[in-house]
Amino acid sequence: MRYAEETPPVFTLTAGPVDAYPEVLQTMGRTVLYDYDPAFQAFYESVALKAQKAMDTPEPPLILQGEPVLGLEAAAASLIAKDDVVLNLASGVYGKGFGYWAARYAKRVEEIEVAYDDCIDPETVRTYLKDHPEIAVVSVCHHDTPSGTLNDIDAIGAIVADAEALMIVDAVSSFGGMPGGPGSCKAGIYVSGPNKCMGCPPGLTLAAVSEAAWAKIDANPDAPTASILAMKDWRYAWKRTNPFPFTPSVAEINGLDAALDRYLREGPEAVWARHALTAAACRAGILALGLKLWPAREEIASATCTAVKMPDGVDAGPVIAEARARYGVMLSAGRGVTAGKLIRIGHMGPTAQPIYALAAVAAVGGAMTALGHDVDLAAGMAAVTARIDADG
Ligand SMILES: *Cc1c(COP(=O)(O)O)cnc(C)c1O
């Protein structure tokens, strides 16, 4: 049998957007309250406080009304002043992309760039900052999703803080799926969204802003206000007695509430553990198929996305299409320079369950076999269950 392109897949094992948690979708269908209804104002405050708990921040993170690209662009617009020199760290498509936003607002953007299967060495950042004391802002992507690779943002953040610069972190596809948060990496602005590991549909940004970053934003005459990019306007909007800069996305906030409840009830450690085990089982299966991981070293492979390198001469596109048509399993392609070269299996939120690794490895291995590529499907599947079982 074949699954038609027009029919939804059986499993969405993508690197985001993810298949949302059922309770999130149910909650989004709740009554859409008027934003100045006192019941909504009280509810919004309670959601902001739950987000604060989840992100473990001294004040509630901003909830901006657009998927996290809005938050990233707003962070650049708000924090970076005209006379700032920014150091952008690029180890993948998203890290590189942030530099283009930064360049719109900064006097100058410097860059440390490494191969997109590798990560930034914190020591090179230390040396760079020592040699360039004029750098005011450092930007980095935690998990560069199109590569499935991680940067050590806690180590980089400590170095940036020592140099008295402020760090903007893109933690869109890592927050909620692995240890760490705005505090442990000493972020100035830490941008995430509920549409990856929190299991919501795309539509909101969560952004934690430190005290020092607020001071810099307040001192930046060009920080936007009365704009969709304005972080400033939302700082105190979480208080039920304060006005909203504009109408919040009520249904999305309803969904976020359910996602936060779920995350806090299950417990962050337990959530991170199932992401880690799913990814470990997936990597074991991929390696046993006889394929290679895209990340240069397994230590930098993400717990929320496994990037599988295609053998030389094999285009990822037909393999992804075959996996969907043959098994109804939707996987992600690469992006930019990784397009065609790899397949990404997402383990985010609802799909961070070890058994999904079996479906993913079966789909990749089966599709490759069908297309005439040499993989050991049985070994791959056995390795997945062995890795799950080894966890006890
Ligand atoms: C998903 C994601 C974003 C949001 O961007 P989209 O391209 O709109 O999905 C930003 N940064 C990272 C690292 C992401 O994974």
Side-chain angles (χ1 to χ4, degrees), residues 238-379:
W238 61 272
K239 285 188 188 163
R240 68 177 80 183
T241 46
N242 285 346
F244 295 112
F246 51 84
T247 307
S249 310
V250 175
E252 301 289 349
I253 304 291
N254 288 342
L256 175 60
D257 183 53
L260 289 166
D261 276 345
R262 192 195 156 105
Y263 183 70
L264 295 170
R265 194 174 56 239
E266 190 178 346
E269 280 83 8
V271 177
W272 303 335
R274 69 176 161 81
H275 281 80
L277 179 59
T278 308
C282 195
R283 290 194 300 268
I286 291 299
L287 294 172
L289 285 176
L291 296 173
K292 291 198 166 66
L293 301 174
W294 174 266
R297 297 173 302 287
E298 201 166 337
E299 311 88 79
I300 63 168
S302 170
T304 63
C305 169
T306 296
V308 183
K309 189 177 182 169
M310 288 294 96
D312 286 343
V314 177
D315 180 4
V319 180
I320 292 170
E322 186 64 21
R324 194 188 186 289
R326 183 170 287 263
Y327 304 107
V329 174
M330 186 67 216
L331 304 164
S332 290
R335 280 228 197 150
V337 301
T338 71
K341 296 181 185 154
L342 56 80
I343 291 174
R344 293 181 297 150
I345 301 160
H347 329 290
M348 296 180 179
T351 55
Q353 296 290 355
I355 196 64
Y356 284 114
L358 193 57
V361 168
V364 170
M368 289 193 73
T369 303
L371 295 174
H373 306 302
D374 187 26
V375 293
D376 190 339
L377 185 52

Side-chain angles (χ1 to χ4, degrees), residues 67-69 72 94 141 143 145 170 172-173 196 335:
E67 71 98 34
V69 160
L72 293 167
Y94 281 102
C141 182
H143 168 216
T145 329
D170 173 347
V172 176
S173 60
K196 300 275 168 84
R335 280 228 197 150

Side-chain angles (χ1 to χ4, degrees), residues 71-154:
L72 293 167
E73 198 172 344
S78 300
L79 192 71
I80 302 171
K82 270 194 187 76
D83 52 358
D84 282 342
V85 181
V86 174
L87 173 61
N88 187 51
L89 306 177
S91 56
V93 173
Y94 281 102
K96 181 75 178 177
F98 190 85
Y100 301 122
W101 282 319
R104 253 186 238 163
Y105 303 100
K107 181 166 87 183
R108 199 170 76 242
V109 177
E110 314 247 321
E111 196 157 73
I112 298 176
E113 187 170 9
V114 296
Y116 288 4
D117 61 355
D118 209 335
C119 69
I120 302 288
D121 175 3
E123 288 312 310
T124 64
V125 179
R126 189 192 303 283
T127 309
Y128 207 95
L129 292 177
K130 227 175 241 156
D131 295 345
H132 299 82
E134 71 279 13
I135 287 166
V137 173
V138 176
S139 43
V140 64
C141 182
H142 185 194
H143 168 216
D144 217 306
T145 329
S147 302
T149 50
L150 293 174
N151 280 309
D152 186 347
I153 55 165
D154 286 4

Side-chain angles (χ1 to χ4, degrees), residues 173-267:
S173 60
S174 54
F175 173 73
M178 61 187 79
S184 68
C185 69
K186 300 187 160 84
I189 302 183
Y190 180 97
V191 177
S192 192
N195 55 315
K196 300 275 168 84
C197 303
M198 301 297 287
C200 290
L204 295 173
T205 289
L206 292 171
V209 183
S210 75
E211 199 55 50
W214 277 126
K216 182 159 171 29
I217 292 170
D218 288 339
N220 177 10
D222 299 315
T225 57
S227 156
I228 190 86
L229 294 178
M231 292 192 127
K232 258 172 115 155
D233 296 356
W234 285 94
R235 183 171 185 186
Y236 301 108
W238 61 272
K239 285 188 188 163
R240 68 177 80 183
T241 46
N242 285 346
F244 295 112
F246 51 84
T247 307
S249 310
V250 175
E252 301 289 349
I253 304 291
N254 288 342
L256 175 60
D257 183 53
L260 289 166
D261 276 345
R262 192 195 156 105
Y263 183 70
L264 295 170
R265 194 174 56 239
E266 190 178 346

